[in-house]
Amino acid sequence: FDGSGREFDAELQVIHRHGARVRLDSARTCHRESPLSITLWQGISRGERMDYALQKAVELGVSTIVPVLAGRSQGGRGERLEKRLKHWQGVVIAACEQCGRTILPALLDPLNLAEALHKPPAGTRLLLDPTASAGLREYPPPTDATLTLLIGPEGGLGEAEIHAAREAGFRGVRLGPRVLRTETATAAALSAIQTLWGDLG
């Protein structure tokens, strides 16, 4: 697939240690995208936890991923973060290959949460907060099918960060009585959103 919505039958003609040659047949356009335009603000976590969250987000139909540096984020800054971003792009591509998506979700440069909240996104904004009083069923579907979901890193968001997000128009939502790991929360929240308002189920 080419990442822009087309896929091809292909014949592997040559393979060797340093590369391969493939002959492509005619292209066909495939539509496997969600009717929801979901932007995931994912708190940066360590190693496999972040990989898992991104992988499942792609499988569950997000259109844009923004890695977010929050107070409890772990995993470096500067050059190390640039290296991780390249690795995450590979995770996104592999997840598309696995689930049959032909359009690559956009993986944006990491943002500091405090800076990001100065320019809050348009559309419905939801914040996972285990102390919130409302669940997803208590919210109406996004009126313009556009939704931004903010999920904290391992350890969650701090009280001040939750307050700042609410001030920026994010509405708190809880997934249930148990506190989930960040990577579990990503998969669970997106599954519930797609079941309620998207294309699962």
Side-chain angles (χ1 to χ4, degrees):
F1 73 106
D2 64 3
S4 66
R6 299 184 304 167
E7 65 182 15
F8 308 78
D9 289 322
E11 180 183 333
L12 185 60
Q13 296 184 318
V14 177
I15 185 167
H16 51 79
R17 288 181 66 182
H18 302 293
R21 186 170 69 238
V22 174
R23 184 181 63 81
L24 299 181
D25 289 332
S26 58
R28 57 179 174 269
T29 301
C30 299
H31 182 75
R32 300 187 182 106
E33 296 303 299
S34 171
L36 296 175
S37 176
I38 302 174
T39 297
L40 173 65
W41 286 16
Q42 177 68 51
I44 295 174
S45 298
R46 289 179 292 183
E48 292 182 0
R49 292 181 178 179
M50 188 68 176
D51 290 359
Y52 183 91
L54 298 183
Q55 181 188 76
K56 300 312 169 191
V58 172
E59 291 178 37
L60 289 164
V62 300
S63 55
T64 304
I65 300 167
V66 183
V68 171
L69 283 161
R72 294 173 180 154
S73 286
Q74 302 192 23
R77 283 166 167 70
E79 290 183 9
R80 182 173 178 189
L81 195 54
E82 288 182 20
K83 185 177 179 181
R84 292 192 75 191
L85 189 63
K86 291 179 182 177
H87 169 76
W88 295 333
Q89 185 65 54
V91 171
V92 168
I93 292 170
C96 280
E97 292 172 349
Q98 186 278 321
C99 71
R101 289 183 69 177
T102 57
I103 296 178
L104 282 178
L107 176 63
L108 304 187
D109 289 337
L111 287 177
N112 182 286
L113 178 59
E115 294 174 358
L117 290 174
H118 283 303
K119 296 181 180 179
T124 299
R125 297 165 226 166
L126 297 178
L127 156 72
L128 284 195
D129 178 3
T131 68
S133 59
L136 281 168
R137 288 194 198 94
E138 296 166 69
Y139 287 113
T143 54
D144 57 359
T146 300
L147 184 146
T148 298
L149 177 65
L150 169 58
I151 299 178
E154 50 198 305
L157 297 172
E159 289 185 18
E161 291 172 321
I162 291 173
H163 177 75
R166 288 179 179 272
E167 288 290 306
F170 282 83
R171 294 181 287 178
V173 63
R174 66 195 298 261
L175 292 179
R178 293 168 295 281
V179 177
L180 305 179
R181 290 178 180 269
T182 179
E183 69 272 26
T184 308
T186 299
L190 290 170
S191 295
I193 286 168
Q194 291 285 28
T195 300
L196 286 171
W197 306 319
D199 57 3
L200 278 186

